[in-house]
Amino acid sequence: MSFLFGQREQRAPVFSEPPIPPNSASSSGFARVDLSRTEASLQKVAVWSCVNLVATVAETMPLAFYPKPRDAQPLLPWMADLAGDGYGLPDWLYQFVYSAMLRGNVYGIVGGRDRARGTPNQIMLAHPDRVGVTLDTEGQPLWRTNGEDVPAGNMWHRRVHPAPGSLLGLSPIALQATTIATGISALQFGASWFQDGAHPSGILSSEQALDAKQAMTAKERFMAAVHGRREPAVLGNGWKYQTIQISPNESQFLETNNYTAAECCRIFGPGFAEIFGYETGGSLTYSNIEQRSLDLLTYAVDPWLVRIERALSELLAPGQKVKFNRAALVRTDLLTRYRAHAIALQNRFAIVNEVRDLEDEGPVPWGDTPFEGQPSTVSINDN
């Protein structure tokens, strides 16, 4: 029994509870995964990725104010910090997308109004889980946030996925709770499988007959020799150590996780699953970076950008609007971009200084005069 020797090596809180419950606090059954809090669904990476992608694009994409068609101007000062909290419009846009995509509703408390039009010019967004609404006897909404009543005139509400006869928009997380909870449960199972799985990591066997005390002594001495070390173990005659490697595929952990990831992406619209590379039974192929950016804009992000543009344009005078510069998302290679500039100049769609501005170059004295040559017959596909 003396085959081994060695010594054993010895925030200011906004929520009353953490917004994202740890996996260890949840049960293993998908039906018991608690998605009543918005942030709980973000434990599924696919959900977080979709929301963060759209919110980040909205936050970083240039936004212009159009007092009249085709007359882009800088944003109005009050709109540049719509919440009035000093964080600016990009921060406000991220919050808007967050609430809209996860809960189907965006709530805000009106802090100021335009004196002439009466439309809000200051809106502080509220966490969607801390807003409640009921209808009075006349069918008018009675709003509450953080446990306090809010006059209907001070509540700014925009909804996504509206249903007939319903005041609130449908919540994607609530509608697809089973899919998301199944994915989270798969993650919980995977964590417990690798950390606390009820299976031994290996078998230490002997050709000798051992009683319980001898078996425990052998186990303790073996563990003392190898625990926390990368050195090889030396076994005496008649002893054998065999590791146990059980593929998680046998429990369909990986398959379930990948399947639910793709399904979670589909909750938020077409294109997300392919953009993130989740297996969907088919795949999109991208010929170049520009095409991938176009697919991202067309199939995934653009519907959400349109919703934001409508919500912000409603705060302006009739005929005025705001619009994202979607060209900022479409990254083309240098040659394709220059060919497009040449076609625009020769066909008098643009002037030199406009093109130079797009390329972050300064204006030139002769750059405000339209090109006087003949219309171009060059195409983007010319070599």
Side-chain angles (χ1 to χ4, degrees), residues 93-166:
L93 293 174
Y94 195 103
Q95 297 178 49
F96 182 103
V97 173
Y98 174 93
S99 295
M101 291 188 70
L102 290 176
R103 283 300 189 230
N105 294 276
V106 183
Y107 307 98
I109 307 300
V110 176
R113 293 183 179 274
D114 182 89
R115 293 183 180 180
R117 302 187 307 275
T119 53
N121 58 15
Q122 182 178 332
I123 303 172
M124 176 68 75
L125 297 183
H127 193 285
D129 291 351
R130 303 182 72 84
V131 177
V133 62
T134 57
L135 300 179
D136 61 18
T137 56
E138 298 180 354
Q140 298 301 310
L142 301 174
W143 297 96
R144 290 179 64 83
T145 181
N146 295 321
E148 299 181 0
D149 293 333
V150 178
N154 290 345
M155 176 61 71
W156 185 81
H157 173 228
R158 292 298 177 270
R159 62 188 183 183
V160 185
H161 317 303
S166 176

Side-chain angles (χ1 to χ4, degrees), residues 224-306:
V226 301
H227 180 71
R229 303 179 182 180
R230 305 294 294 179
E231 300 175 1
V234 180
L235 305 180
N237 184 38
W239 287 93
K240 180 180 179 181
Y241 181 76
Q242 179 181 3
T243 60
I244 297 178
Q245 296 181 347
I246 301 178
S247 171
N249 290 337
E250 294 182 6
S251 65
Q252 296 185 340
F253 161 66
L254 294 179
E255 289 85 348
T256 301
N257 188 51
N258 289 337
Y259 174 78
T260 56
E263 290 293 283
C264 287
C265 285
R266 292 191 183 97
I267 293 172
F268 301 105
F272 282 102
E274 289 80 4
I275 287 169
F276 290 118
Y278 291 116
E279 182 60 41
T280 59
S283 61
L284 291 179
T285 58
Y286 301 99
S287 57
N288 51 46
I289 296 176
E290 179 184 8
Q291 186 59 47
R292 181 163 187 164
S293 298
L294 287 172
D295 288 329
L296 165 64
L297 180 61
T298 303
Y299 298 112
V301 177
D302 197 58
W304 298 99
L305 299 181
V306 171

Side-chain angles (χ1 to χ4, degrees), residues 324-379:
F324 285 105
N325 178 13
R326 288 161 172 79
L329 185 64
V330 181
R331 305 297 185 185
T332 61
D333 62 87
L334 183 65
L335 180 59
T336 300
R337 197 166 67 246
Y338 277 19
R339 283 176 175 168
H341 291 334
I343 293 174
L345 290 171
Q346 293 177 4
N347 289 278
R348 302 173 188 174
F349 294 153
I351 58 176
V352 169
N353 280 340
E354 290 175 337
V355 171
R356 291 180 64 85
D357 184 62
L358 291 174
E359 296 295 330
D360 294 324
E361 299 287 347
V364 293
W366 43 269
D368 291 324
T369 303
F371 183 73
E372 298 297 336
Q374 296 296 320
S376 173
T377 57
V378 179
S379 69

Side-chain angles (χ1 to χ4, degrees), residues 53-64:
L53 172 65
V54 178
T56 301
V57 170
E59 178 186 31
T60 58
M61 184 176 289
L63 186 67

